[in-house]
Amino acid sequence: MKNHSSFSRTVLSASTPLRAHCLGRLTTLLLLLVTAIADQAAQFDPLSITGCKLWLKADAGITFSSGNIVSGWADQSVNNFNVAQITVANQPLLIANTIGNGLPMVRFDGVNDRLIKTAIISTANNASMFVVCKSYSGGPRKVFDALPGSTTGAPVGRTTSLRRLVGWESATPCQLSCFDPLRATGLVASRYMAVSATLDSVSGNGYMYINGTQVNTVANLWLPPSASPFTVGIDRNQSASQCYPGDIAEILIYDGALSAGDRQAVENYLMKKWLYFIAQQPASQTVACGANASFTATVNSAVSVTYQWYYGATPVGGNSSTLSLPSVTSANAGSYHLEVTGSLGTLVSDTVTLTVTDSAPAITANPQRQLVACGGTATFSVTAGSCSPITGYQWYLGNDAIQ
């Protein structure tokens, strides 16, 4: 008789041995691998916004003198403001997968690396600048800089000692400057961030942002047109003490103070591309039945996020980058993934598998010998235990299965 822990039969002859086999699931193995698809920053084109004068991005337009030594960085706008360096000792490096998002960055050594364009990149008095770079606390060091041009025509009383630059200005505290008078202090060193600034010489107002959040505003400004040269990784005078020791991912400079909507579109593009990704995917687990299991992911995000784990399509766990599963059974086996949600969209992790292994079921109470009269009824029962659900029983008369 199958699938019963007890068995009754009418006794027809003398005592015959009976035995029960418990049929349990020993190992549950589910193999699924699904690659997450996040919002694609490539859907936005920075050239769709009018006035782009310069666009350098580390994942395009790089030329090398040898190996990963960068001799040139081509402007991706239509203006051909390509920056270059012919002296090998002053050439930066292209570092692959710098922060775990699969994209390279251009690394400057802080000693003599620099890229130069001998040209006037803008004659306008309004500008918007964007850069993704690594913060530095041993300033002053310039990420990029342009020699300022004439201040002729500036309204009386305006601050005119401005130029198109982003730089790290002091060691304590870590301080960032844009256009020079726009400053943010108390920053954390060695962090990758998206820096942006706009300056409207008509109103005289300048605004500075880090990862899309406004950190400073200064009034009564007037921006001169730029002069030659434009430098990357050093100040416009090419002072060795101003060499930037850090990584640059992307630079965008526009003529005109962009509207809030256009500025945010560029910021979101940069943050999605460089600062919003799952840096470490969760890994599949194989654990014994009754043990604890956990999945963990590491998320790099420039904005606040929430976390939700899923078992298949069912939400599980709390708002955490780690999912803990105590005392697992075969009911916990299966596929899991994490969804990370923020203002930049939703990131979906790889789908991983929890495999729960189990030993054979154990009989904890054996059937007892019976003595009954011929023609009477004998009943045998067995008690068995297993971490995983027992899926069936089979009784035997001698070596013959009882149906």
Side-chain angles (χ1 to χ4, degrees):
M1 180 171 292
K2 296 179 179 179
N3 294 329
H4 290 283
S5 60
S6 62
F7 165 65
S8 299
R9 71 169 286 141
T10 300
V11 178
L12 301 178
S13 62
S15 176
T16 304
L18 290 167
R19 57 192 172 91
H21 289 189
C22 299
L23 307 178
R25 180 164 53 187
L26 300 182
T27 303
T28 301
L29 180 60
L30 299 174
L31 296 175
L32 292 173
L33 181 60
V34 179
T35 301
I37 302 175
D39 291 339
Q40 297 298 311
Q43 293 176 350
F44 172 80
D45 181 5
L47 298 181
S48 66
I49 295 177
T50 301
C52 185
K53 300 297 292 185
L54 175 74
W55 181 15
L56 302 175
K57 57 178 184 174
D59 55 333
I62 301 291
T63 55
F64 305 94
S65 58
S66 65
N68 67 332
I69 302 174
V70 177
S71 58
W73 196 354
D75 180 12
Q76 302 300 300
S77 79
V78 299
N79 300 303
N80 294 316
F81 288 130
N82 306 324
V83 294
Q85 179 56 250
I86 61 173
T87 303
V88 174
N90 296 346
Q91 294 174 346
L93 303 177
L94 187 72
I95 305 300
N97 195 26
T98 311
I99 56 175
N101 62 347
L103 296 174
M105 292 188 182
V106 179
R107 177 164 296 171
F108 295 79
D109 66 4
V111 178
N112 49 30
D113 288 353
R114 68 201 70 177
L115 296 170
I116 311 297
K117 176 61 178 179
T118 305
I120 298 172
I121 65 169
S122 177
T123 59
N125 299 119
N126 303 322
S128 299
M129 307 184 302
F130 304 84
V131 62
V132 176
C133 64
K134 189 176 184 180
S135 59
Y136 177 69
S137 63
R141 306 296 176 95
K142 300 301 183 286
V143 179
F144 65 82
D145 195 359
L147 192 70
S150 172
T151 59
T152 301
V156 176
R158 294 285 187 90
T159 300
T160 60
S161 56
L162 283 69
R163 59 190 194 271
R164 290 162 176 82
L165 76 84
V166 171
W168 299 98
E169 298 300 340
S170 66
T172 306
C174 183
Q175 183 180 111
L176 175 69
S177 72
C178 293
F179 296 113
D180 195 57
L182 285 165
R183 301 287 176 108
T185 62
L187 303 177
V188 178
S190 300
R191 294 285 181 88
Y192 292 93
M193 57 184 63
V195 178
S196 53
T198 63
L199 197 153
D200 179 6
S201 289
V202 176
S203 66
N205 295 327
Y207 301 90
M208 182 179 179
Y209 307 82
I210 295 178
N211 295 337
T213 298
Q214 184 176 322
V215 293
N216 197 7
T217 180
V218 176
N220 207 34
L221 304 177
W222 191 86
L223 179 66
S226 64
S228 181
F230 174 76
T231 57
V232 179
I234 197 169
D235 73 314
R236 83 281 191 196
N237 295 322
Q238 301 186 53
S239 307
S241 62
Q242 296 274 329
C243 285
Y244 167 61
D247 303 328
I248 302 175
E250 198 153 345
I251 297 171
L252 283 153
I253 298 178
Y254 291 83
D255 278 351
L258 299 189
S259 67
D262 285 347
R263 173 184 55 78
Q264 290 167 359
V266 178
E267 290 168 343
N268 289 345
Y269 154 76
L270 292 172
M271 289 190 291
K272 282 183 181 181
K273 180 176 178 180
W274 298 103
L275 304 175
Y276 193 61
F277 58 93
I278 297 176
Q280 180 177 338
Q281 296 285 349
S284 293
Q285 301 277 317
T286 298
V287 299
C289 190
N292 299 331
S294 65
F295 296 107
T296 297
T298 301
V299 177
N300 187 320
S301 178
V303 298
S304 298
V305 296
T306 58
Y307 302 90
Q308 180 62 65
W309 288 91
Y310 288 86
Y311 173 51
T314 303
V316 292
N319 179 19
S320 173
S321 59
T322 296
L323 174 65
S324 298
L325 301 170
S327 303
V328 299
T329 68
S330 59
N332 300 113
S335 60
Y336 293 80
H337 74 275
L338 172 66
E339 295 188 7
V340 183
T341 303
S343 61
L344 297 176
T346 298
L347 302 173
V348 182
S349 77
D350 292 347
T351 296
V352 292
T353 301
L354 176 63
T355 301
V356 179
T357 60
D358 193 11
S359 58
I363 293 177
T364 57
N366 281 296
Q368 300 299 307
R369 179 177 293 184
Q370 300 285 320
L371 179 64
V372 297
C374 186
T377 299
T379 300
F380 298 93
S381 63
V382 67
T383 302
S386 175
C387 183
S388 299
I390 294 174
T391 59
Y393 297 82
Q394 177 64 61
W395 287 91
Y396 288 80
L397 175 62
N399 291 321
D400 299 323
I402 299 174
Q403 300 299 318

